[in-house]
Amino acid sequence: MTNERRVLVHADSDALAASITARFLTKTVDLLDELDRVNLVLEGGRVALKVLAAINASPARDSVDWSRVHVWWGDERWLPAGDPERNEVKAREALLDHIAIPAANIHACAPSDGPLDLDQAAAAYAEELAAHADGDNALPRFDITFLGVGPDGHTASLFPDRPEVLEREATVVAVRNSPKPPPERISLTRPAINSSQRIWVALSGADKASVLGLALAGAAYTEVPIAGMKGRKRTVFFVDADAASEVPESLIAPAY
């Protein structure tokens, strides 16, 4: 098994989402044949939500034993419970409310209208992660982590030239004054994300082409945070043709 990055190019965002969906269903069933549980890390981007909806619509959806799947988030917008802009709410509407997954397996960040302030909410999420840790680690074994990318290269809520992207010790950070609204967020850190077995990055659109090119060319992760994300076993960039316009041909793998 190699942990080198691969780039899979698809004709458009629909084909991209269909490819990720098929791979996810196949890989999750295979993993559940090997493991007692599978931990997924979700994100809230447009392509990711399209994938979750496609999983829900797939005839193969219930081939997954969802009772043994645990769901986490790479980041969350610190907003009131039920706010439609929360990543958790979007994921529930697209998939989680439609499958036989126990409520205890859905690990959401605390909302802003609860008893915790932002720092306490971030600490509580770190404690929740530690409570489900794999062995002596501070985190669960993240089997598949989905990441999106902004045009500025941010991923999760780790933004360029911000202190959060430099964090090396904590697993979770509170984010204030985010350059993208809402200003307050909770995010996994780079080391936490990079503990993942597999990282699947989805990029769609011409506005992502330059940042993808920079990431693959080895840009500093402080300036292009997605450049610093790499799974332990595999990192795959699922991209559409527009986003791939600046990727060297030598880095593109067949999209099969």
Side-chain angles (χ1 to χ4, degrees):
M1 176 70 72
T2 176
N3 69 348
E4 289 304 307
R5 292 169 168 152
R6 302 175 66 218
V7 181
L8 303 180
V9 180
H10 305 78
D12 53 35
S13 63
D14 289 339
L16 169 64
S19 172
I20 298 173
T21 298
R23 285 168 178 268
F24 168 79
L25 289 165
T26 300
K27 175 55 72 175
T28 302
V29 169
D30 288 347
L31 288 170
L32 287 168
D33 283 342
E34 305 169 12
L35 305 168
D36 61 340
R37 62 184 275 180
V38 165
N39 291 285
L40 306 177
V41 179
L42 303 183
E43 60 102 9
R46 176 174 49 84
V47 176
L49 292 174
K50 185 180 285 191
V51 169
L52 294 183
I55 293 169
N56 184 48
S58 172
R61 182 193 74 179
D62 294 331
S63 64
V64 174
D65 180 358
W66 295 104
S67 71
R68 294 194 287 131
V69 174
H70 285 250
V71 174
W72 308 84
W73 276 268
D75 73 325
E76 184 57 278
R77 299 165 178 185
W78 202 56
L79 295 168
D83 190 295
E85 290 302 307
R86 276 178 61 90
N87 292 337
E88 172 213 354
V89 172
K90 294 178 181 179
R92 287 183 181 278
E93 291 174 350
L95 175 65
L96 301 180
D97 286 348
H98 309 284
I99 56 176
I101 184 170
N105 290 15
I106 300 174
H107 305 276
C109 296
S112 63
D113 58 347
L116 306 181
D117 64 25
L118 179 59
D119 291 315
Q120 291 169 337
Y125 205 56
E127 291 171 5
E128 177 79 357
L129 288 160
H132 293 266
D134 180 33
D136 295 329
N137 298 323
L139 292 162
R141 181 198 62 248
F142 294 146
D143 297 293
I144 301 175
T145 292
F146 291 95
L147 293 178
V149 185
D152 62 353
H154 87 266
T155 191
S157 283
L158 303 177
F159 293 90
D161 302 314
R162 296 264 310 186
E164 297 87 10
V165 78
L166 297 173
E167 177 60 50
R168 294 187 178 184
E169 301 300 327
T171 57
V172 181
V173 288
V175 179
R176 291 180 171 83
N177 301 313
S178 160
K180 180 180 179 182
E184 295 180 317
R185 296 158 173 256
I186 295 168
S187 182
L188 295 184
T189 59
R190 176 175 171 261
I193 292 171
N194 283 350
S195 75
S196 305
Q197 299 297 299
R198 298 160 193 84
I199 292 177
W200 292 3
V201 186
L203 297 94
S204 174
D207 62 335
K208 307 293 177 65
S210 62
V211 75
L212 176 59
L214 288 169
L216 297 173
Y221 70 83
T222 52
E223 298 175 5
V224 183
I226 191 61
M229 306 303 160
K230 193 171 186 180
R232 290 183 172 178
K233 289 187 175 181
R234 179 155 293 180
T235 306
V236 182
F237 288 81
F238 296 87
V239 306
D240 67 7
D242 288 339
S245 62
E246 297 185 26
V247 176
E249 195 71 29
S250 61
L251 295 179
I252 296 175
Y256 54 87

